[in-house]
Amino acid sequence: GRTYLFGYGSLLCSKSRGITCPELSDRAAIPVMVNGLERTWSKRSAKLGMTAMGIRFREGSRCAGVLVPLASSKELELFDHREQGYQRHRLDLESIEKIDFLPEEKYEEHDEFIQVLAQTQEDNSSLEGSSDEDSVSSLNELDIWVYVPEKTMAPAKDFPIAQSYVDTILRGCMDVGGEPLVEEFLTTTTGWHPEDWEDPHYAKSDRIASVWINDRSDPVYTRGDPNHFRKHGRTFDKFLTEYISDYLPLRVDPQ
């Protein structure tokens, strides 16, 4: 069987993935859209004192990301260790499709995978309701996993969104699909501000306090690349201004 991880946050960035598993550096990830997933700022990291990206299963939502091909159970263990505080869930193959706004050239080197996915989806639908275990087990040729936060909480003053982490995701989006993927990421991700959560448990002070810090000069996120932030920060800020202008004024410099 083949094993893939669906990367929707920092795993979009090949540099960040390579820190966890250097063998991945020469393996191309496959851009895909997963239906029924919503990307949201929801995973607090006590270790780093920031809020990382999470997802939740939500009908009608969609989440663009990449499938990262893994060669062994050892590689999977490396990512399980990295993604502590998340649970690994198997994705329904029916929910996965190509990203319709990316040019076809993006899929040329992944032609074989796209064919296998289509064939597996077809076999799957034809076997629905079948009790033939051999047939069903043949569907497990593709194992696609996603990390879902065990506990979800909105960003807060003590657990802010860190710009160094945002930049890492934007870098991944640019590498995979350019500005169209950046736009998709910024406009479909929820939770940029606690009020988005409509959660009565948040104190007024948390609603007023900024929950997004510009930490480029002293990165909170340990798998970030300060040189890349410095070089591309202005471009990334242009995207933030263009696509989530309501939220960017909430970002503050660290105290």
Side-chain angles (χ1 to χ4, degrees), residues 58-158:
R58 192 166 196 177
E59 207 173 322
S61 293
R62 67 181 198 173
C63 181
V66 292
L67 295 183
V68 181
L70 301 182
S72 65
S73 56
K74 181 82 179 78
E75 290 184 358
L76 191 55
E77 282 169 24
L78 290 174
F79 284 99
D80 283 349
H81 181 71
R82 165 178 169 146
E83 304 296 338
Q84 288 177 30
Y86 292 80
Q87 281 187 331
R88 181 158 46 83
H89 290 256
R90 191 179 261 112
L91 277 178
D92 176 8
L93 298 181
E94 301 304 313
S95 66
I96 298 165
E97 60 189 29
K98 293 198 292 189
I99 298 177
D100 56 13
F101 55 79
L102 291 188
E104 275 301 316
E105 304 90 81
K106 288 281 178 189
Y107 289 97
E108 281 170 4
E109 63 180 311
H110 306 301
D111 199 40
E112 189 207 357
F113 170 83
I114 298 299
Q115 287 176 356
V116 170
L117 178 64
Q119 186 59 54
T120 310
Q121 288 171 336
E122 197 177 305
D123 293 348
N124 210 347
S125 60
S126 67
L127 283 168
E128 270 179 13
S130 161
S131 58
D132 183 341
E133 283 186 18
D134 289 340
S135 307
V136 174
S137 69
S138 72
L139 301 181
N140 294 335
E141 187 186 350
L142 285 180
D143 263 340
I144 299 178
W145 298 96
V146 63
Y147 290 105
V148 180
E150 289 170 359
K151 185 179 180 186
T152 60
M153 295 184 83
K157 191 177 177 205
D158 294 335

Side-chain angles (χ1 to χ4, degrees), residues 3-223:
T3 302
Y4 296 86
L5 284 181
F6 177 60
Y8 58 86
S10 59
L11 291 180
L12 273 161
C13 177
S14 60
K15 182 100 194 265
S16 180
R17 296 193 300 267
I19 290 170
T20 300
C21 182
E23 292 78 7
L24 285 178
S25 56
D26 56 353
R27 265 182 248 157
I30 307 163
V32 292
M33 186 70 77
V34 180
N35 294 301
L37 281 187
E38 180 181 64
R39 181 171 20 218
T40 182
W41 292 104
S42 60
K43 171 65 179 76
R44 287 190 182 177
S45 167
K47 190 168 132 192
L48 297 177
M50 60 171 250
T51 294
M53 192 57 75
I55 49 154
R56 54 188 169 191
F57 291 94
R58 192 166 196 177
E59 207 173 322
S61 293
R62 67 181 198 173
C63 181
V66 292
L67 295 183
V68 181
L70 301 182
S72 65
S73 56
K74 181 82 179 78
E75 290 184 358
L76 191 55
E77 282 169 24
L78 290 174
F79 284 99
D80 283 349
H81 181 71
R82 165 178 169 146
E83 304 296 338
Q84 288 177 30
Y86 292 80
Q87 281 187 331
R88 181 158 46 83
H89 290 256
R90 191 179 261 112
L91 277 178
D92 176 8
L93 298 181
E94 301 304 313
S95 66
I96 298 165
E97 60 189 29
K98 293 198 292 189
I99 298 177
D100 56 13
F101 55 79
L102 291 188
E104 275 301 316
E105 304 90 81
K106 288 281 178 189
Y107 289 97
E108 281 170 4
E109 63 180 311
H110 306 301
D111 199 40
E112 189 207 357
F113 170 83
I114 298 299
Q115 287 176 356
V116 170
L117 178 64
Q119 186 59 54
T120 310
Q121 288 171 336
E122 197 177 305
D123 293 348
N124 210 347
S125 60
S126 67
L127 283 168
E128 270 179 13
S130 161
S131 58
D132 183 341
E133 283 186 18
D134 289 340
S135 307
V136 174
S137 69
S138 72
L139 301 181
N140 294 335
E141 187 186 350
L142 285 180
D143 263 340
I144 299 178
W145 298 96
V146 63
Y147 290 105
V148 180
E150 289 170 359
K151 185 179 180 186
T152 60
M153 295 184 83
K157 191 177 177 205
D158 294 335
F159 296 94
I161 295 167
Q163 187 61 46
S164 55
Y165 184 81
V166 176
D167 286 348
T168 301
I169 300 174
L170 293 176
R171 179 183 188 174
C173 289
M174 282 300 289
D175 289 347
V176 173
E179 191 172 343
L181 192 55
V182 167
E183 179 183 1
E184 175 76 16
F185 161 67
L186 291 174
T187 56
T188 62
T189 296
T190 62
W192 292 96
H193 193 263
E195 288 188 3
D196 289 355
W197 282 65
E198 296 167 1
D199 187 333
H201 300 300
Y202 281 91
K204 270 278 182 261
S205 60
D206 256 354
R207 292 180 182 277
I208 296 159
S210 178
V211 296
W212 181 2
I213 56 165
N214 185 0
D215 64 328
R216 283 179 181 140
S217 57
D218 184 15
V220 171
Y221 181 58
T222 49
R223 285 185 284 266

